[in-house]
Amino acid sequence: MSAIGTVDIDRRPIPEEKVDDDFVNTFCQSATLSDLRLDTFNNSDSQSRLEWMEKCAVRRPISGLSSLQHFAEQTNSCQIFCISQKSSYDRLRITQELFHQLVTTYSMFPSIWDFMSPFGFKTRKSDIGDAPFRYRQREHNGVGVLGSFECAYSFRYTVLNHRVDPEGPSADFDRWSVRQMAVYQQYDSSKDRIMLLLVTPSNTARLKLEDLICSTNVKRKQLHAFDLHQTLISTLHGNWRLYIRDLERDLQIQSDRVTLSRVNVETDFMVPFLDRQRLKTTEDKILDLKIIFDCLSHTVSHLSRQCQSNCLGMQCIDCRCPEMIEELEEQLHDIEINIKRTEVLHKRAQATAQLISDVLAYENAQVMNLNGRSLYELTQESKEENSKMRILTERSTRDAAAVKILTVITLIYLPVTVVASIFSSQLIQVDDHGRISVISESWWFVVVSLPLTVFTFLFWRYWLSHTMKKSEQKKPTQASEQSKADEGHSSSPMRVGTIAELSRRLQAFRIQKRDVALQHLP
């Protein structure tokens, strides 16, 4: 009788070349880094419960094929292999050769390799979707005897990473870490043995499994395979509820900042870019949760159906199948609730993102409107200034005409003024009879005036050439300073509203220039 929900798989072995190529970053390269552990459980004796619980589980390192073959032949009621990982981004602490020996020794189905590919060295988060639930009935159930079977699945769980919040603002800080775990379980009816392979299990899950197995041995009851699966799944919900609660709180904070912000030109300071980054990160986490919970729901539903299918009914010893099925259904119900909460969170995140987009669009419209008004005012002020400058130019033209007339009059009277100055000086003498005579020492006038005139002309030429050279030397320096200032302005971040500020400064400069021009008018 085939089990309900059995998934048909390809039983052909995977070629060695393909395995080597696909899992080069999954397993560690050195045997010294390998850390495969096996937990076996002793049978109960007459000692007290406390003393027995302390020495119930025995952990042993597995280093090679001989150790695997030795324990594969034993008839322990339960064997748990654990493969650890230093971090979520590191390789598994087991060599590919040793893992292949483990698969061969216990005759695991080839689909186990599908659950190993998400592990291993990586530089970023990937493979959010887990491999689907796999189940194979190795032999049919007999009369009062459960047939051999094997199954495998994987799921994600979350733990506190105890990271310290950085001093500065950060968009990627998260005090939770989402990790993955793969589970392979094999029941061998000939040895009445349950073999469990846990890949990167959490400490909580491992301790709860040990406590369950030891408690069952103390009570001298039969251990059911699906008890282990139910215990593993039950360790997930507590942290997932806290994780979703933190996401709700972060999303509410970001939503309040947008909803309660003042809508004006300064909105960018009320809704900084860091909040937009955090909102995007939160939305990505919510999308990942939808995939995680969908995969987990698929796994739990298959476990419930397989538990119901493998129940022996009235012939089941210490039967707990109805309780286990009910507990799995309750856990499935919790998962469905988490899926609905995730959908609500996703819609809320989308609404917040849309609100931010609307606020930014409104802000841009306000800024464009303000810049348009500023440009219009600047145009009007330019027109007024041009009309005033035209009036000033007309006045300057009239003044220049008046100065030209004065210059012409001065040129007309200049010879007469020079002659009058000479005749009124002591160089020319007039006697009582009206005769004009030049004194004998008049040559001093020529000797002094001519060199003085030449010296004055030469000094004026020297001063003019020196001033022109100095101004030419200042031009390259001013050009370099101006280019540096332009580079500094271009490299500095520009704010919204720069056009309005520039127009105000230009207006003030023009008013100052106009006042200076008016002060120099007669």
Side-chain angles (χ1 to χ4, degrees):
M1 180 179 65
S2 62
I4 300 176
T6 302
V7 180
D8 295 332
I9 59 173
D10 187 4
R11 301 188 183 184
R12 292 174 296 176
I14 300 177
E16 294 291 337
E17 296 80 2
K18 187 177 189 309
V19 173
D20 292 339
D21 294 339
D22 294 343
F23 298 95
V24 64
N25 292 324
T26 302
F27 302 98
C28 65
Q29 306 298 322
S30 175
T32 57
L33 300 176
S34 182
D35 188 27
L36 177 62
R37 300 281 179 169
L38 171 62
D39 291 343
T40 58
F41 300 88
N42 299 322
N43 294 325
S44 178
D45 54 17
S46 59
Q47 296 179 355
S48 64
R49 174 182 174 87
L50 182 60
E51 295 177 354
W52 166 245
M53 294 292 290
E54 292 178 354
K55 68 175 187 176
C56 172
V58 180
R59 174 163 293 188
R60 299 179 176 88
I62 303 298
S63 58
L65 179 60
S66 58
S67 301
L68 289 174
Q69 292 176 346
H70 171 70
F71 289 107
E73 297 299 327
Q74 291 187 0
T75 58
N76 304 94
S77 61
C78 185
Q79 295 178 353
I80 300 180
F81 289 92
C82 294
I83 301 176
S84 61
Q85 192 179 23
K86 186 176 180 180
S87 67
S88 300
Y89 294 89
D90 205 353
R91 292 180 173 89
L92 294 176
R93 300 180 66 179
I94 183 175
T95 61
Q96 184 171 335
E97 180 183 2
L98 182 58
F99 183 78
H100 187 271
Q101 292 173 355
L102 176 64
V103 173
T104 305
T105 303
Y106 281 86
S107 302
M108 300 181 186
F109 52 29
S111 294
I112 186 63
W113 293 95
D114 296 338
F115 296 91
M116 307 305 295
S117 57
F119 298 92
F121 177 76
K122 59 178 75 72
T123 57
R124 59 183 178 86
K125 293 181 180 179
S126 59
D127 297 330
I128 292 298
D130 300 314
F133 181 87
R134 291 287 186 264
Y135 180 89
R136 186 176 72 173
Q137 191 80 30
R138 304 176 65 150
E139 62 180 17
H140 300 308
N141 298 334
V143 179
V145 179
L146 181 64
S148 300
F149 67 92
E150 57 185 339
C151 65
Y153 57 92
S154 61
F155 55 80
R156 306 278 167 150
Y157 64 95
T158 181
V159 293
L160 288 171
N161 51 34
H162 302 290
R163 294 175 184 170
V164 180
D165 193 356
E167 296 180 358
S170 176
D172 58 351
F173 172 75
D174 191 357
R175 65 192 191 102
W176 292 96
S177 293
V178 179
R179 298 175 181 173
Q180 56 186 344
M181 175 179 174
V183 180
Y184 170 83
Q185 185 258 318
Q186 180 187 100
Y187 175 71
D188 189 350
S189 60
S190 61
K191 298 181 178 64
D192 194 18
R193 182 187 64 196
I194 299 174
M195 191 278 283
L196 202 65
L197 172 63
L198 304 179
V199 184
T200 65
S202 64
N203 292 331
T204 303
R206 186 173 56 81
L207 293 176
K208 284 194 173 184
L209 285 178
E210 292 180 1
D211 183 69
L212 171 65
I213 297 171
C214 293
S215 299
T216 304
N217 289 344
V218 168
K219 297 176 182 178
R220 300 182 181 276
K221 292 185 178 181
Q222 184 176 2
L223 181 65
H224 293 273
F226 290 93
D227 269 335
L228 304 178
H229 300 300
Q230 187 272 331
T231 302
L232 285 174
I233 300 299
S234 66
T235 61
L236 305 177
H237 302 294
N239 282 350
W240 277 127
R241 281 193 290 267
L242 297 176
Y243 181 79
I244 294 176
R245 188 180 303 169
D246 281 359
L247 287 181
E248 290 177 345
R249 183 190 60 198
D250 294 342
L251 188 59
Q252 186 63 40
I253 292 174
Q254 295 163 9
S255 177
D256 290 343
R257 287 180 179 177
V258 179
T259 306
L260 303 179
S261 61
R262 293 183 297 108
V263 182
N264 49 32
V265 179
E266 304 297 334
T267 305
D268 187 66
F269 292 98
M270 303 300 294
V271 187
F273 185 73
L274 180 63
D275 284 346
R276 304 170 200 172
Q277 290 178 317
R278 287 175 176 169
L279 180 61
K280 180 62 172 63
T281 303
T282 304
E283 189 173 2
D284 291 341
K285 292 177 182 178
I286 294 173
L287 291 175
D288 293 343
L289 278 182
K290 295 178 68 176
I291 301 176
I292 291 172
F293 286 140
D294 286 339
C295 295
L296 186 58
S297 175
H298 177 269
T299 298
V300 175
S301 61
H302 274 277
L303 284 175
S304 177
R305 281 186 285 179
Q306 296 301 334
C307 180
Q308 184 178 4
S309 173
N310 286 280
C311 181
L312 299 177
M314 299 298 297
Q315 299 175 353
C316 183
I317 302 175
D318 296 332
C319 185
R320 289 193 64 252
C321 295
E323 290 83 356
M324 286 188 292
I325 294 174
E326 184 177 357
E327 290 176 359
L328 289 173
E329 292 295 332
E330 289 179 357
Q331 293 175 5
L332 184 60
H333 179 68
D334 292 339
I335 296 172
E336 292 175 353
I337 292 177
N338 288 334
I339 291 176
K340 292 181 180 179
R341 293 177 64 184
T342 303
E343 292 175 352
V344 173
L345 280 179
H346 186 218
K347 293 180 180 179
R348 190 178 299 173
Q350 288 180 331
T352 304
Q354 183 62 39
L355 181 58
I356 288 180
S357 300
D358 295 341
V359 170
L360 293 179
Y362 180 79
E363 176 185 355
N364 292 333
Q366 290 291 94
V367 171
M368 292 180 64
N369 187 20
L370 176 62
N371 291 337
R373 290 200 304 268
S374 300
L375 289 175
Y376 177 76
E377 293 175 359
L378 183 60
T379 304
Q380 296 298 322
E381 292 173 0
S382 299
K383 290 182 179 180
E384 294 178 0
E385 184 177 357
N386 290 335
S387 62
K388 293 178 181 179
M389 291 298 295
R390 182 176 58 80
I391 296 173
L392 292 177
T393 303
E394 293 176 355
R395 287 185 181 180
S396 300
T397 304
R398 290 195 298 268
D399 294 340
V403 171
K404 182 179 181 181
I405 295 173
L406 293 176
T407 303
V408 171
I409 294 174
T410 303
L411 290 176
I412 293 174
Y413 288 99
L414 180 61
V416 179
T417 304
V418 173
V419 172
S421 299
I422 293 174
F423 277 91
S424 63
S425 64
Q426 298 294 329
L427 298 176
I428 305 299
Q429 292 182 354
V430 181
D431 56 8
D432 297 336
H433 300 285
R435 290 190 299 268
I436 300 174
S437 63
V438 180
I439 63 175
S440 60
E441 301 296 332
S442 62
W443 58 272
W444 281 103
F445 175 77
V446 178
V447 172
V448 174
S449 60
L450 287 178
L452 184 60
T453 303
V454 173
F455 174 76
T456 304
F457 179 75
L458 293 176
F459 179 78
W460 173 77
R461 289 293 303 271
Y462 170 76
W463 177 82
L464 183 62
S465 62
H466 177 72
T467 305
M468 293 178 64
K469 289 181 180 179
K470 192 174 182 180
S471 62
E472 290 177 356
Q473 292 177 356
K474 286 184 178 180
K475 287 182 180 179
T477 306
Q478 293 176 353
S480 62
E481 292 178 354
Q482 183 65 27
S483 63
K484 291 181 180 179
D486 295 339
E487 291 177 358
H489 287 298
S490 62
S491 60
S492 61
M494 296 187 66
R495 285 189 63 255
V496 177
T498 305
I499 298 178
E501 184 179 358
L502 181 61
S503 64
R504 288 195 294 269
R505 292 184 178 180
L506 183 60
Q507 179 184 2
F509 174 74
R510 289 180 173 177
I511 293 175
Q512 183 179 5
K513 183 179 178 181
R514 183 186 59 193
D515 294 340
V516 172
L518 291 174
Q519 290 177 0
H520 288 79
L521 291 177

